[in-house]
Amino acid sequence: MTNLNELEEAIGYHFHNQELLIQALTHSSYANEKHMKPLSDNERLEFLGDAVLELVSSEFLYQNYPNDNEGKLSKLRASLVCEPTLSYCTEEMDLKKYIRLSFGEEKTGGRKRKSIRSDALEAVIGAMFLDGGLEPAKKFVLRFILTDIEHKKLYHDCKTALQEIVQAEHTAPLTYELIKEEGPDHAKVFTVEAKVGDLVIGQGVGSSKKAAEQEAAYQGILYAQKQKDSVR
């Protein structure tokens, strides 16, 4: 397995019980392939980490957005802890290279799947909570997830946001076109383009058409912002 000390350096926390970290990085496909004992994968730790993440993010938003009501806070929290955002957050620590996957999952591109990366991130949070308590887990969440919030808000419901931009600035309709579908039935990868008329403004890849459209919409929003900035 890749040297976990490197990962610990990257996340700024050294585990007292490194077995917790190993379990947090163990995908169910790997546990099944290696015939490990039941509950050896990271799903229980992901369950715990999800709860810790919700608590820390809720406290953070309550304190830092005092003028927002419950509805706005819930929407903002959802944008910060959704699968695409958490997957994006793993890039800084290069978490994907430490995840333990089965041969088949590895071969079909599982290391790039947002769901696998985001689940592993939540599992690491859960492992950290068990190993060191709330304080290190909170520090980790604040450092890697609850940063650059305005940018990350764009991940949430990108399709609605892009639709509003296009309707305000263009007469041509916004459409999504599936341009590629590959992989076996259990691990399909979809590639979608977001288009305004014939102009491609974004491209997304995902494990479902919906996820690919969301990513394409996000890229479309970035394209629109770049175009707007260039004419200022």
Side-chain angles (χ1 to χ4, degrees), residues 213-229:
E213 288 177 357
Q214 194 83 339
E215 179 67 25
Y218 173 70
Q219 296 300 329
I221 292 172
L222 296 184
Y223 173 87
Q225 289 182 334
K226 190 175 181 180
Q227 293 300 109
K228 186 178 290 187
D229 292 341

Side-chain angles (χ1 to χ4, degrees), residues 46-225:
E46 176 207 338
F47 166 79
L48 179 60
D50 177 69
V52 174
L53 176 58
E54 182 166 336
L55 172 62
V56 173
S57 59
S58 297
E59 180 193 28
F60 174 85
L61 295 175
Y62 183 87
Q63 292 178 342
N64 287 276
Y65 292 80
N67 298 319
D68 285 357
N69 61 25
E70 181 269 344
K72 287 184 177 179
L73 292 174
S74 294
K75 187 174 181 181
L76 180 52
R77 183 179 63 197
S79 72
L80 295 173
V81 301
C82 67
E83 181 181 292
T85 306
L86 294 181
S87 176
Y88 170 79
C89 292
T90 66
E91 293 177 8
E92 185 177 347
M93 66 197 79
D94 202 15
L95 186 65
K96 65 180 182 295
K97 84 175 185 181
Y98 301 97
I99 300 172
R100 301 203 293 179
L101 299 171
S102 68
F103 176 78
E105 193 68 59
E106 183 80 67
K107 192 173 181 181
T108 55
R111 205 166 293 279
K112 297 179 182 178
R113 284 174 56 192
K114 291 182 175 65
S115 59
I116 289 177
R117 289 159 58 169
S118 64
D119 288 351
L121 181 64
E122 289 186 322
V124 168
I125 294 170
M128 200 175 293
F129 175 76
L130 288 179
D131 190 72
L134 181 60
E135 198 55 40
K138 180 177 179 179
K139 186 177 179 181
F140 175 86
V141 171
L142 291 173
R143 176 182 171 186
F144 289 102
I145 300 173
L146 300 179
T147 55
D148 197 15
I149 288 178
E150 293 306 311
H151 177 76
K152 289 174 180 173
K153 279 165 65 177
L154 293 176
Y155 274 112
H156 187 62
D157 204 11
C158 299
K159 291 179 70 175
T160 300
L162 182 59
Q163 184 69 46
E164 292 173 354
I165 292 171
V166 171
Q167 286 179 340
E169 300 178 3
H170 300 273
T171 55
L174 170 66
T175 59
Y176 295 91
E177 182 179 340
L178 178 65
I179 62 170
K180 191 189 298 183
E181 181 179 330
E182 53 191 349
D185 288 341
H186 71 281
K188 286 234 179 252
V189 177
F190 301 87
T191 303
V192 169
E193 287 181 342
K195 303 171 74 173
V196 177
D198 293 327
L199 176 66
V200 176
I201 62 171
Q203 185 178 102
V205 178
S207 56
S208 68
K209 283 186 274 190
K210 182 179 178 181
E213 288 177 357
Q214 194 83 339
E215 179 67 25
Y218 173 70
Q219 296 300 329
I221 292 172
L222 296 184
Y223 173 87
Q225 289 182 334

Side-chain angles (χ1 to χ4, degrees), residues 8 11 13-21 124 127-128 131:
E8 290 179 323
I11 66 177
Y13 180 78
H14 290 269
F15 279 77
H16 303 289
N17 179 7
Q18 205 175 67
E19 288 299 317
L20 283 169
L21 179 57
V124 168
M128 200 175 293
D131 190 72

